Amino acid sequence: MFNYVRISWSGVMSDYFCAINRVKQGGVLSPVIFCLYIDDLLVSLCNAGVGCYFGNFFVGALAYADDVVLIAPSAFALRKMLAICYSFATDYCVSFNAKKSKCLAVFPRSKRFLYAKLSKCVFYVDGKPVEFSWSYYQCLYG
């Protein structure tokens, strides 16, 4: 079954066109449909064994609505998880937006010297670098 939609802009309606491979924004079922669609990605990330765990429970990938959060214990693990996401995006015709993505690193106080090395650490989403969020670091260490 195809989903035909049209756009309304300033009182002007477009012709109907077929919307494929999308979850309707604001739809009641959209978060549920997205979770079903993204489940293969979450399973792949879990099976990779490189994300974070709480005991035996994998907590390295969290998803809700159209957002996915990756939690990794190292740069290597995050790169492997991003590669899995890239493979999923290619296989399932989805895209991850680097402009809407942020990277946040958290270190214990004893390792805060590592923040200085983050400028050399670059992660990519869809071939574009992901910006670091420095507000957490600035809040803690000013």
Side-chain angles (χ1 to χ4, degrees), residues 51-110:
C52 287
Y53 288 82
F54 186 75
N56 291 332
F57 296 100
F58 177 70
V59 294
L62 309 173
Y64 181 73
D66 63 348
D67 295 319
V68 176
V69 175
L70 300 178
I71 306 170
S74 68
F76 171 81
L78 183 56
R79 284 193 177 93
K80 186 166 183 178
M81 294 172 81
L82 287 169
I84 292 166
C85 290
Y86 177 79
S87 178
F88 176 85
T90 302
D91 293 346
Y92 289 88
C93 299
V94 296
S95 60
F96 295 99
N97 189 338
K99 289 183 180 180
K100 291 184 177 181
S101 301
K102 298 287 184 223
C103 187
L104 174 67
V106 180
F107 298 107
R109 287 192 186 274
S110 63

Side-chain angles (χ1 to χ4, degrees), residues 4 24 33 38 51 72 74 94 121:
Y4 288 92
K24 200 179 271 188
I33 293 169
I38 207 80
S74 68
V94 296
C121 195

Side-chain angles (χ1 to χ4, degrees), residues 42 47 75 98 131:
L42 301 176
N47 290 340
E131 180 183 345

